[in-house]
């Protein structure tokens, strides 16, 4: 170890005392006092070399006068050297200003943390110029290199070059010498308080209790910047003789460092943890502090437009909500600082209540309801307390309902107090006069008037049990009003209106009632006919296209041709008169509000030209093979001389069609018939199933494996019928078949593959009363019975169609015996296990029957069948229900004859396609195809057939948005042929 000790002979000119500056004051440190070295003093140097623990030392004596040392040190400091000036400025730039404490701390930390120690030459004391030390540092990537005096010189040089005043202290003991720099931070007890501010700031910055400095005889305080210390103002180097110091530039005046400009620190608190609006809050700023002295002023801004001054103030907010509370503090030197805290002020609950009075003969029971009370912030009211104004009160209640019995009438001041979770209160008081309100009633002489028809309203049935009615006020819902117990009003336009009656009794009690009124503008019936001079046995076309409904649309047309013939449901109809004459033709139109209007014309029909009646209609729309090419639609018949018919059709995955029905077998009975066609309707293959008895196929569906499932019936060995279920492969070969039934008549009318791969069948079975029950059968994928359910009573019940619904259950339609001895259309919904969920019936006193049902896109249901019409015939019946089976609308199509719907399907446009039959002009039936919109109103309809019987049993929309229909038609042998018809999307057979 190389150590330098300085032995000085000097005459004291001034002395400096060492102090440790702490929180409790300044403590003098005698062993670290300093004296300035004069120029006449001689320094004798003893350089000692030590190694290990041997204590061996080598002494290298030398002498120098202090004048040369001081001169050399001052020269090495290099105040004004450009290199040193630039380095000092670069280190100080983080803290702009003149010679500040922050700048000195930055310089100290830079040198302290980036210095490499190296010793002086042997037996010599070498002082390096400050700029050389900086350059050396740049070469080695450090702040500098050298021993303690080089560090002290560079420290002093950098501080001097930013305007500070420094001195370098030389200290020693027997074995060692040391040099370090100090900087002037101010004058002790000066009015500028720089020393106190600097020491306070340093203690806070470096988290220490004491700051070490020397105080000279003039009172200037010099801060220790020894590299041995960890921070500016750290402890002195531990040697006993801190005797000598050298002032840098002693001819210049001493300049003190500027302490950091630290503003006071504001602190906000308030007493109430959860303050409420309209209650005083104590705000306290007494915990605010200032590092350098006291706080002179406190200024508050409460965020609601109110300001106050003082360390502790009271403030009351008028309403709840979040508020920014700002506190600005100013210290004794005029420095300001501010802080903002957010306070959440609770808005007390609002008390609201209503009441109702019940006459109990012996008094009045009033029910109070405070459920309208609210607390916008906390969400709910915590408790309710009542004062009923008659001496009775309640404790705090958890809900707002309360009752009180008043034995007599009078006025009572009822008060409600509500409390929220923050225990804030809201109060409301109402003087209640016990008086029974009047009862409002009125009648209307016409519940469905048309425009222009006056209505009379009568409120004479209104009454007031404890007084009299003093005023009647009418509001007719069209902007018109009236007064008095009776009034007459005339509506100038159609629509739905609400008539309101408000009555007031002699105690100012008010009551009111309303009634809905529908005012309709009737449609206008108009028609033309062609030819204008028709003859008997010729076709007359009647066209009602000129009819209109200004406030809706026409939904039905009823034609009376004046000779007993009628047609309904068509705007354009053809009619053939049997003989000449003058006929009064009446057209009655019905609009969508049920209003009717009629128009009549005299039609003169001439006698027929010849006695031969001709059928000018196309024969069933069947085309010759040469005319079939390039057409979107076509017609095909299948069968022989017997009775053949198609009852179910479906488009298959290959674009062809599969049909199930019946055909005459070799024994003179019927066989279940399965026909597969290509996309043009030409037979690909067919197969029949059955024995000597009667066997029918009523329903077919392509299964997931590409095969087919068919249901119908087969004649059993006892002469009855059994439900028959047949599974085939894709070529129509039987895979398996199952029969279900007993000794009676059992039949399967509808089958569908279910989501689990099994099958659901709907039909009927003989019950214990000699009638039929609707029968629902569920099988596994092999056709084995899983469960069965029957529905019905003592009459005849039957299921004609089944559909698995989106929830996994089933919906079935058919018929059931009604209370009039007839049939009602029946709709049943079951769960996945076949257990009844709900059932609905539709119809009147006559016969009503459902033949086909399907779940619609909105999860409701569409059903078709028939209903008995006003002429003793049947109308095609179309019903749309919601998902619970309640009717949304119902439509009937047909005339005086027999019309029936056998199959319905929802189409891609949201409307519906229906097939069945209608009475034709020859007394027979035509296959009928009807397209409706989503509300069940007819878009178009088509009939197919001739003079015989033609019926459609099944329809499906095809992938090209056309339709495929199957049924039967009269053949050339007097029997029926299975009929397959393909139309375009508009129902046209020919494209």
């Amino acid at each position: 170890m190389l150590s330098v000790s300085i032995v000085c002979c000097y005459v004291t000119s001034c002395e400096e005392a060492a102090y440790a500056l702490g929180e409790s004051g300044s403590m003098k440190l005698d062993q670290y006092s300093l004296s300035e070295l004069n120029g006449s003093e001689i320094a004798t140097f003893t350089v000692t070399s030590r190694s290990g623990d041997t204590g061996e030392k080598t002494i290298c004596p030398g002498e120098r006068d202090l004048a040369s040392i001081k001169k050399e040190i001052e020269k090495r400091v290099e105040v004004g050297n450009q290199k040193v000036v630039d380095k000092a400025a670069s280190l100080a730039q983080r803290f702009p200003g003149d010679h500040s404490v922050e700048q000195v701390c930055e310089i100290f930390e830079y040198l302290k943390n980036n210095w490499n120690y190296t010793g002086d030459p042997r037996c010599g004391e070498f002082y390096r110029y400050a700029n050389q030390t900086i350059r050396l540092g740049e070469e080695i990537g450090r702040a500098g290199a050298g021993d303690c005096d080089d560090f002290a010189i560079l420290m002093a040089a950098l501080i001097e070059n930013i305007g500070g005043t420094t001195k370098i202290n030389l200290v020693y003991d027997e074995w060692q010498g040391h040099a370090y720099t100090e900087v002037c931070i101010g004058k002790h007890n000066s009015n500028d308080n720089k020393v106190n501010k600097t020491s306070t700031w340093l203690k806070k910055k470096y988290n220490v209790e004491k700051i070490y400095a020397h105080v000279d005889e003039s009172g200037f305080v010099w801060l220790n910047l020894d590299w041995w210390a960890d921070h500016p103002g750290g402890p002195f180097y531990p040697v006993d003789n801190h005797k000598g110091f050298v002032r840098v530039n002693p001819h210049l005046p001493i300049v003190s460092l500027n302490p950091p400009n630290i503003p006071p620190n504001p602190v906000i608190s308030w007493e109430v943890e959860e303050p409420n609006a309209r209650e005083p809050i104590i705000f306290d700023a007494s915990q605010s502090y200032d590092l350098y002295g006291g706080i002179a002023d406190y200024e508050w801004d409460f965020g609601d437009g109110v300001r106050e001054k003082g360390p502790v103030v009271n403030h009351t907010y008028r309403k709840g909500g979040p508020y920014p509370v700002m506190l600005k503090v100013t210290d004794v030197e005029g420095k300001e600082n501010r802080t903002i805290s957010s306070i959440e002020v609770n808005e007390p609950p609002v008390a609201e209540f209503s009441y109702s009075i019940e006459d109990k003969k012996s008094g009045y029971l009033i029910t109070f309801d405070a459920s309208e009370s609210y607390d916008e912030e906390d969400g709910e009211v915590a408790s309710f307390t009542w004062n009923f104004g008659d001496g009775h009160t309640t404790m705090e209640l958890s809900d707002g309902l309360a009752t009180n019995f008043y034995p007599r009438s009078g006025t009572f001041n009822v008060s409600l107090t509500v409390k929220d979770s923050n225990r804030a209160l809201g109060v409301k008081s109402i003087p209640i006069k016990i008086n029974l309100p009047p009862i409002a009633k009125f009648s209307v002489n016409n519940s469905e008037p048309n425009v222009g028809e006056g209505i009379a309203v009568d409120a004479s049935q209104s009454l007031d049990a404890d007084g009299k009615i003093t005023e009647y006020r009418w509001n007719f819902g069209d902007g018109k009003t009236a007064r008095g117990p009776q009034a007459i009003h005339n509506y100038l336009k159609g629509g739905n209106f609400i008539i309101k009656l408000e009555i007031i009794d002699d105690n100012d009690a008010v009551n009111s009632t309303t009634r809905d009124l529908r005012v309709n503008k009737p449609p206008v019936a108009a028609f033309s006919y062609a030819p204008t001079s028709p003859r008997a046995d010729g076709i007359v076309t009647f066209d009602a296209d000129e009819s209109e409904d200004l406030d809706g649309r026409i939904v039905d047309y009823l034609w009376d041709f004046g000779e007993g013939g009628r047609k309904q449901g068509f705007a354009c109809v053809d009619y053939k008169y049997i003989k000449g004459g003058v006929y009064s033709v009446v057209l009655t139109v019905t609009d969508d509000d049920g209003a009717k209007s009629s128009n009549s014309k005299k039609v003169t029909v001439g006698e027929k030209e010849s006695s031969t009646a001709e059928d000018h209609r196309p024969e069933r729309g069947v085309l010759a093979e040469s005319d079939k090419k390039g057409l979107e639609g076509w017609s095909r018949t299948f069968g022989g001389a017997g009775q053949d018919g198609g009852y179910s059709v479906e488009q298959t995955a290959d674009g062809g069609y599969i049909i199930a029905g019946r055909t005459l077998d070799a024994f003179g009975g019927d066989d279940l018939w399965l026909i597969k066609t290509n996309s043009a309707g030409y037979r690909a293959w067919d197969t029949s199933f059955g024995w000597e008895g009667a066997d029918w196929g009523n329903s077919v569906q392509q299964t997931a494996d590409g095969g087919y499932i068919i249901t119908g019936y087969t004649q059993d060995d006892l002469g009855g019928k059994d439900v028959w279920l047949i599974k085939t492969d894709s070529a129509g070969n039987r895979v398996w078949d199952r029969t279900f039934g007993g000794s009676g008549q059992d039949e399967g009318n509808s089958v569908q593959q279910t989501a689990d791969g099994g099958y659901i069948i709907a039909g009927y079975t003989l019950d214990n009363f000699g009638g039929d029950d609707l029968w629902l059968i569920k099988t596994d994928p092999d056709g084995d019975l899983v469960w069965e359910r029957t529905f019905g009573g003592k009459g005849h019940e039957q299921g004609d169609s089944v559909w698995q619904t989106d929830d996994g259950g089933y919906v079935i339609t058919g018929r059931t015996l009604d209370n009039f001895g007839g049939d009602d259309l029946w709709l049943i919904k079951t769960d996945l296990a076949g257990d009844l969920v709900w059932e609905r019936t539709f119809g009147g006193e006559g016969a009503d029957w459902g033949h086909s049902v399907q779940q619609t896109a909105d999860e409701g249901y569409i059903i078709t069948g028939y209903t008995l019409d006003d002429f003793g015939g049947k109308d095609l019946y179309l019903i749309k229900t919601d998902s619970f089976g309640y009717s949304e609308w119902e439509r009937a199509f047909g005339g005086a004859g027999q019309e029936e719907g056998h199959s319905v399907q929802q189409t891609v446009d949201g409307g519906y396609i229906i097939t069945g039959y209608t009475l034709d002009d020859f007394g027979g039936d035509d296959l009928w195809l009807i397209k409706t919109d989503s509300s069940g109103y007819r878009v178009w309809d088509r009939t197919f057939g001739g003079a015989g019987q033609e019926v459609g049993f099944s329809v499906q929309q095809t992938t090209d948005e056309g339709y495929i229909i199957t049924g039967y038609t009269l053949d050339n042998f007097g029997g029926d042929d299975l009929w397959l018809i393909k139309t375009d999307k508009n129902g046209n057979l020919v494209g």
Side-chain angles (χ1 to χ4, degrees), residues 13-28:
S13 62
C14 62
E15 291 187 355
E16 294 185 6
Y19 289 89
L21 309 179
E23 293 292 336
S24 58
S26 301
M27 181 177 66
K28 188 174 182 181

Side-chain angles (χ1 to χ4, degrees), residues 710-732:
I710 312 106
T711 195
Y713 70 84
T714 183
Q715 192 168 24
D716 61 25
D717 297 333
L718 306 173
K721 295 188 297 184
D722 283 343
V723 172
W724 202 8
L725 185 67
I726 302 174
K727 177 66 175 69
T728 76
D729 60 18
S730 60

Side-chain angles (χ1 to χ4, degrees), residues 193-261:
N193 203 22
K194 285 186 176 182
V195 173
N196 182 50
K197 290 180 180 179
T198 299
S199 63
T200 301
W201 183 83
L202 288 171
K203 284 184 286 185
K204 184 174 181 64
K205 175 175 174 62
Y206 294 106
N207 193 25
V208 295
E209 294 182 357
K210 296 178 180 180
I211 295 297
Y212 292 84
H214 283 97
V215 182
D216 63 20
E217 289 185 342
S218 299
F220 286 104
V221 180
W222 301 83
L223 181 70
N224 180 27
L225 297 178
D226 197 340
W227 78 344
W228 180 81
D230 291 332
H231 58 84
F236 294 116
Y237 191 76
V239 294
D240 292 337
N241 299 313
H242 283 247
K243 290 288 185 173
F245 65 87
V246 178
R247 271 276 310 278
V248 178
N249 294 325
H251 57 283
L252 297 178
I254 295 175
V255 177
S256 303
L257 295 183
N258 289 319
N261 184 18

Side-chain angles (χ1 to χ4, degrees), residues 795-796 815-824 844-848:
H796 295 280
R815 64 161 178 168
T816 183
L817 185 68
D818 63 22
N819 296 327
F820 304 101
D823 295 316
D824 274 350
E845 298 182 5
D848 308 281

